[in-house]
Amino acid sequence: MNHNPDDLIMLFNDLFRESFRTILVRGNSEPEYLPVSEPDGVAKIVFAHGFYASALHEIAHWCIAGEQRRTLHDYGYWYCPDGRSLEQQHAFEQVEVKPQAIEWLFSLAAGSRFHISVDNLAGSGAADEESFRRQVCDLSARFLAIGLPPRAQQFFDLLTTFYGTADRIRDVWYQDRTRVLQADPEYDQSRITEPL
């Protein structure tokens, strides 16, 4: 299956440009969220280096950001770059469970491979990678059972229609669960901005 980020740009922008005045754009460096800055402007979700997985991850963050957070640069969250201390990494992992659970379901809907990320290769690694993986898995299972947050559900449904994956999501999730729960490091180039 071809995974072209331009498809995600088209799908996202067609779905949310008018209703939420937000567009998805390809970036040249780190991802960021840029709120509306002028009366007739649009907010921009900028994904890293044109990577498909980065686009899915940044969309997941946007889908759970509330109305007030969407008025703030990067939703008003702190971001400490790779090289975080154990305490900083623990805080990072706590806020990443929900977007990564949603990203995983977006990946399944698109028929692409999801890579969990603790995003701390130059630091102390994960604070508790086994727990983090389990929390992401548990939350994605809950979302499969009861549904995603509204904007995430809209985008998920659009992806399943576009990629023709609706009838096999649950089966693929169960098959993929064992891999995602494993604590062996996986290096996904779409999440790494510098060579290993």
Side-chain angles (χ1 to χ4, degrees), residues 57-175:
H57 185 76
E58 297 310 314
I59 293 167
H61 273 289
W62 179 81
C63 285
I64 59 175
E67 188 175 345
Q68 177 60 32
R69 288 237 181 241
R70 293 192 314 271
T71 68
L72 305 171
H73 181 264
D74 280 340
Y75 314 108
Y77 289 116
W78 63 272
Y79 179 75
C80 185
D82 192 354
R84 291 181 287 277
S85 69
L86 189 58
E87 295 78 23
Q88 291 168 327
Q89 183 63 24
H90 180 71
F92 173 83
E93 289 172 19
Q94 292 308 302
V95 299
E96 276 292 305
V97 170
K98 195 170 189 178
Q100 288 199 34
I102 292 170
E103 178 193 352
W104 185 10
L105 296 181
F106 286 170
S107 295
L108 293 175
S112 66
R113 186 174 173 104
F114 169 72
H115 295 275
I116 204 158
S117 176
V118 296
D119 193 30
N120 200 24
L121 299 173
S124 60
D128 186 346
E129 187 166 353
E130 183 179 337
S131 174
F132 180 63
R133 286 174 179 272
R134 190 171 43 257
Q135 288 176 55
V136 169
C137 190
D138 290 349
L139 187 55
S140 67
R142 180 173 163 79
F143 286 145
L144 274 176
I146 65 167
L148 289 153
R151 283 175 285 136
Q153 189 68 55
Q154 282 182 280
F155 193 66
F156 175 83
D157 292 343
L158 184 60
L159 289 172
T160 62
T161 299
F162 185 80
Y163 289 102
T165 57
D167 61 341
R168 59 182 188 265
I169 292 288
R170 291 183 194 285
D171 291 339
V172 174
W173 181 87
Y174 281 109
Q175 293 168 7

Side-chain angles (χ1 to χ4, degrees), residues 3 8 11 19 21 23 31 39 47 54-55 66 71 78 155 172 176:
H3 291 101
L8 295 178
L11 293 169
S19 57
R21 294 179 52 212
I23 60 172
F47 64 98
S54 176
T71 68
W78 63 272
F155 193 66
V172 174
D176 205 29

